[in-house]
Amino acid sequence: MKTVKRTMSTMALAATMILTVSCKDGNKNEPAAPMSNEMHQETMDDKDNMAMGKNQDAKAEAILKGYFNLKDALVNDDNSKAKELGNTLAQSLKSFDASSYADSEQNELKDIIEDATEHAEHIGESDIAHQREHFKTLSKDMADMVAITGTSMKIYEQYCPMYDNNKGGAWLSMNEEIRNPYFGAQMLKCGKVQREIN
Amino acid sequence: MKVVKIIAWIALIAFVVIQFFPVDYNQSEIVPQTDFMLVNKVPATVEQSLRVSCYDCHSNNTNYPWYSKIQPSAWYLEHHIKEGKAELNFNEWDDLSDRRKTSKLRSIISQIEDGEMPLDSYTLIHRDAIFSETNKTAVIDYMKKLKDSLE
């Protein structure tokens, strides 16, 4: 009888343990579908269109700024800051609304945003080497986004040929001077401007 | 001693009760046209590896082990499968744009390279799901080639 009791309590313990473990990852958010906040959007649209025109979307500018902050954290080899900024960027990406764009652009934009959100979220939880890997694809997403949304900022597309085993990696910057987000202090000035936007 | 007895009884009752909670089984006979194997020319060895090591959690059809019938492990599996499919579903591969495919391939490659996938909790029981060195290289090489063709 004693062994039966012991087995039972072990079982109970095991059951609780399994339950606890299985719930551990439970609150990882899936990349949420772009929120359609229509009422809000209507009022925003009018203002946006009047104040800045369609080519200078305020939310797209906010996303870009979030991206630049993240880039600076990587330039400074700051893993935890980059995590924080990755999550911030994921949030502003999720609040982006493509509905004011033409149909053909909408699909492309939604695709870009979905992809970029996933990379930003991963940056929010990775070590710095992984953050940089995701940053490379994120940079491409951002460049493609700007090509559609336009921007009032002057942006430089810069390129480091050595990153990713000499496959190279590009990034966007608001400054002409090179500050390499892929190598940080290790090779701060490696790279060149390959394109100017605006 | 009496307390232990009571706890044991409660645990036993709880164990029996949770058996009646329904589980959403991930099983489907239909393989959609968008399946990874149907839209790509996958070499036989790579296909075999992917089916054994990935498809249980990353497709619409899971080959369930016996303990999937028993709670709480059924919940545990259900949770993992849902999470796995949300991240990547090989059955819905062709629904992805080239941009998304490239990103997914990038994560497939890096997670297999780093040994993050298949999950340790999965290979603990599915010993055959562990990639042999040759299979690992074959899968990674194939995924890299596919990724390059998209870029």
Side-chain angles (χ1 to χ4, degrees), chain A residues 104-128:
Chain A
S104 55
E105 292 173 340
Q106 277 189 28
N107 288 336
E108 179 79 10
L109 273 174
K110 279 182 189 154
D111 191 44
I112 293 171
I113 297 293
E114 196 188 330
D115 197 66
T117 308
E118 202 174 274
H119 291 294
E121 281 172 344
H122 278 112
I123 288 172
E125 57 186 32
S126 309
D127 59 66
I128 198 149

Side-chain angles (χ1 to χ4, degrees), chain A residues 136 157-171 178-183 187-194:
Chain A
K136 180 176 162 175
E157 188 178 81
Q158 304 177 327
Y159 180 77
C160 165
M162 289 172 72
Y163 180 62
D164 197 7
N165 297 318
N166 296 321
K167 277 193 235 153
W171 71 94
I178 299 286
R179 291 287 177 273
N180 191 322
Y182 295 115
F183 288 105
M187 265 189 279
L188 198 56
K189 292 180 182 169
C190 175
K192 60 173 196 294
V193 174
Q194 65 178 8

Side-chain angles (χ1 to χ4, degrees), chain A residues 1 3 6 11 14 19 32 55 62 69 73 95 98 113 117 129 153 156 166 176 179 193:
Chain A
M1 198 52 196
T3 35
R6 200 175 295 148
M11 245 163 56
L19 277 175
N55 288 335
N69 290 337
S95 72
I113 297 293
T117 308
M153 293 182 261
Y156 300 89
N166 296 321
E176 197 171 358
R179 291 287 177 273
V193 174

Side-chain angles (χ1 to χ4, degrees), chain A residues 5 8 12 18-19 21-22 25-26 28 30 108 111-112 114-115 118-119 122 130 133-134 137 141 144, chain B residues 1 4-5 8-9 11-12 15 72-73 75-76 79 83 86-87 97 99-100 103-104 106 110 114 116:
Chain A
K5 271 185 223 158
M8 278 183 181
I18 292 168
L19 277 175
V21 173
S22 68
D25 295 331
K28 253 192 212 166
E30 292 174 27
E108 179 79 10
D111 191 44
I112 293 171
E114 196 188 330
D115 197 66
E118 202 174 274
H119 291 294
H122 278 112
H130 269 117
E133 278 177 42
H134 286 289
T137 333
D141 289 340
D144 293 346
Chain B
M1 231 25 220
V4 177
K5 209 170 175 178
W9 272 109
L12 183 69
F15 182 74
S73 61
W75 283 330
Y76 183 69
H79 169 71
E83 207 177 25
E87 203 61 47
S97 67
R99 178 190 308 277
R100 305 289 291 139
S103 281
K104 294 296 176 195
R106 207 204 57 81
S110 85
D114 297 348
E116 286 171 51

